[in-house]
Amino acid sequence: MLPGSKLPSVTFRTRVRDDSLGGPNPFRWQDMTTEDYFAGKRCVLFALPGAFTPTCSTYQLPGFEKGFADFQAHGIDAIYCLSVNDSFVMNQWAKAQGLENVQVIPDGSGEFTRRVGMLVRKDNLGFGLRSWRYAAIVKDGRVEAWFEEPGLCDNHGEDPYGVSSPDTVLAWLAADAQGAAA
């Protein structure tokens, strides 16, 4: 997406803890919209091919989680990790990763991912439709900066990672802050 583009308005089906339900699984469905996540905030959004996958679990997600204070220092209010996985999977991945700072967004049907042009086939890995790896700085629902890994295509033989890394996004924020100060 180009800087200045508005994120598509989508409803995400999420599962949230509700202790008033009691029992061993006190979660309920809660619809969340693009506006719920992004309106009135400056955020980092990053998307990846799948929860529990190696690069996503070892580098990208932990890097954003550990660097949260640095992102906040550059005016970031929230960091969101989006994947074409359902809410059950995303919640368990967040739990397994011990997330406290990054929030997960389940794009189970791939609607948001399709509408931002990042839906790709990963049949070569047995994944089906998934997100291409990217990151964005989003201010009040509009793209400020876009970081897309090279080679966007179906069934890519590799999983490029670098352009959408926490370090790259943070470097852009630092340079942007320097430019604003000049």
XYZ file of all heavy atoms in Angstrom, residues 44-47 60 64 133-137 145-149 163-165 169:
166
model
N 2.167 0.308 14.871
C 2.916 -0.545 13.960
C 2.035 -1.764 13.714
O 1.513 -2.360 14.654
C 4.265 -1.008 14.551
C 4.914 -2.063 13.666
C 5.205 0.169 14.745
N 1.850 -2.095 12.458
C 1.172 -3.323 12.061
C 2.210 -4.165 11.338
O 2.885 -3.663 10.437
C 0.008 -3.007 11.110
C -0.600 -4.196 10.363
C -1.291 -5.157 11.328
C -1.572 -3.709 9.286
N 2.363 -5.410 11.756
C 3.198 -6.305 10.964
C 2.441 -7.603 10.730
O 1.652 -8.033 11.568
C 4.582 -6.535 11.591
C 4.607 -7.291 12.881
C 4.922 -8.645 12.906
C 4.353 -6.648 14.082
C 4.967 -9.341 14.108
C 4.403 -7.333 15.284
C 4.703 -8.691 15.297
N 2.631 -8.161 9.552
C 1.926 -9.377 9.166
C 2.934 -10.415 8.717
O 4.006 -10.080 8.209
C 0.930 -9.071 8.051
N 10.758 -12.177 14.339
C 9.900 -11.024 14.089
C 9.014 -10.668 15.287
O 9.096 -9.555 15.811
C 9.045 -11.258 12.836
C 8.440 -9.976 12.314
C 7.799 -10.135 10.950
O 7.418 -11.229 10.557
N 7.666 -9.040 10.236
N 9.585 -7.347 18.012
C 8.640 -6.261 18.264
C 8.231 -6.237 19.738
O 8.088 -5.175 20.335
C 7.405 -6.383 17.360
C 7.631 -5.855 15.973
C 7.746 -6.711 14.891
C 7.718 -4.486 15.738
C 7.950 -6.223 13.604
C 7.922 -3.983 14.455
C 8.046 -4.851 13.387
N 4.807 -11.367 4.043
C 5.384 -10.677 5.196
C 5.569 -9.186 4.874
O 6.169 -8.821 3.883
C 6.736 -11.318 5.533
C 7.282 -10.921 6.882
C 8.649 -11.562 7.128
N 8.642 -13.007 7.094
C 8.274 -13.793 8.107
N 7.869 -13.256 9.235
N 8.314 -15.104 7.981
N 5.022 -8.340 5.768
C 5.159 -6.892 5.621
C 4.985 -6.232 6.981
O 4.563 -6.866 7.951
C 4.134 -6.319 4.624
C 2.699 -6.384 5.088
C 2.122 -5.319 5.795
C 1.907 -7.502 4.832
C 0.802 -5.376 6.222
C 0.589 -7.562 5.262
C 0.044 -6.501 5.956
O -1.254 -6.560 6.393
N 5.293 -4.947 7.048
C 5.029 -4.123 8.234
C 4.588 -2.757 7.746
O 4.834 -2.386 6.589
C 6.273 -4.013 9.114
N 3.949 -2.009 8.633
C 3.493 -0.659 8.285
C 3.439 0.201 9.536
O 3.202 -0.307 10.632
C 2.104 -0.711 7.637
N 3.684 1.482 9.337
C 3.378 2.474 10.355
C 2.020 3.028 9.949
O 1.831 3.446 8.796
C 4.411 3.629 10.389
C 5.837 3.112 10.486
C 4.068 4.621 11.498
C 6.188 2.442 11.764
N 3.996 4.594 6.470
C 5.152 3.950 5.824
C 4.826 2.473 5.644
O 4.126 1.880 6.470
C 6.408 4.134 6.663
N 5.346 1.896 4.566
C 5.057 0.502 4.205
C 6.372 -0.225 3.991
O 7.243 0.265 3.265
C 4.208 0.490 2.933
C 3.693 -0.849 2.531
C 4.202 -1.678 1.581
C 2.536 -1.506 3.053
N 3.441 -2.807 1.474
C 2.412 -2.726 2.370
C 1.598 -1.189 4.033
C 1.381 -3.637 2.626
C 0.582 -2.089 4.293
C 0.469 -3.296 3.592
N 6.523 -1.405 4.600
C 7.757 -2.194 4.544
C 7.408 -3.601 4.065
O 7.029 -4.453 4.862
C 8.400 -2.275 5.932
C 8.590 -0.940 6.590
C 7.571 -0.372 7.354
C 9.778 -0.250 6.448
C 7.741 0.858 7.969
C 9.958 0.983 7.056
C 8.933 1.532 7.818
N 7.528 -3.831 2.778
C 7.122 -5.098 2.162
C 8.350 -5.903 1.763
O 9.261 -5.389 1.117
C 6.274 -4.785 0.930
C 5.766 -5.973 0.180
C 4.940 -5.535 -1.026
O 4.120 -4.594 -0.894
O 5.129 -6.123 -2.113
N 8.359 -7.166 2.153
C 9.477 -8.026 1.761
C 9.477 -8.208 0.236
O 8.421 -8.223 -0.389
C 9.368 -9.391 2.453
C 9.493 -9.328 3.961
C 10.834 -8.818 4.466
O 11.850 -8.901 3.745
O 10.873 -8.315 5.612
N 13.222 -6.545 5.512
C 12.576 -5.255 5.246
C 11.505 -4.953 6.295
O 11.315 -3.804 6.676
C 11.965 -5.236 3.818
C 11.148 -3.972 3.575
C 13.058 -5.374 2.770
N 10.827 -5.995 6.781
C 9.740 -5.806 7.750
C 10.182 -6.092 9.187
O 9.355 -6.235 10.075
C 8.555 -6.712 7.389
O 8.918 -8.081 7.489
N 11.484 -6.141 9.411
C 11.995 -6.453 10.747
C 11.784 -5.290 11.714
O 11.675 -4.132 11.304
C 13.487 -6.775 10.684
O 14.233 -5.584 10.482
N 11.952 -1.068 10.882
C 10.838 -0.172 11.188
C 11.272 0.890 12.200
O 10.977 2.080 12.042
C 9.611 -0.970 11.685
C 8.485 -0.033 12.100
C 9.130 -1.947 10.612
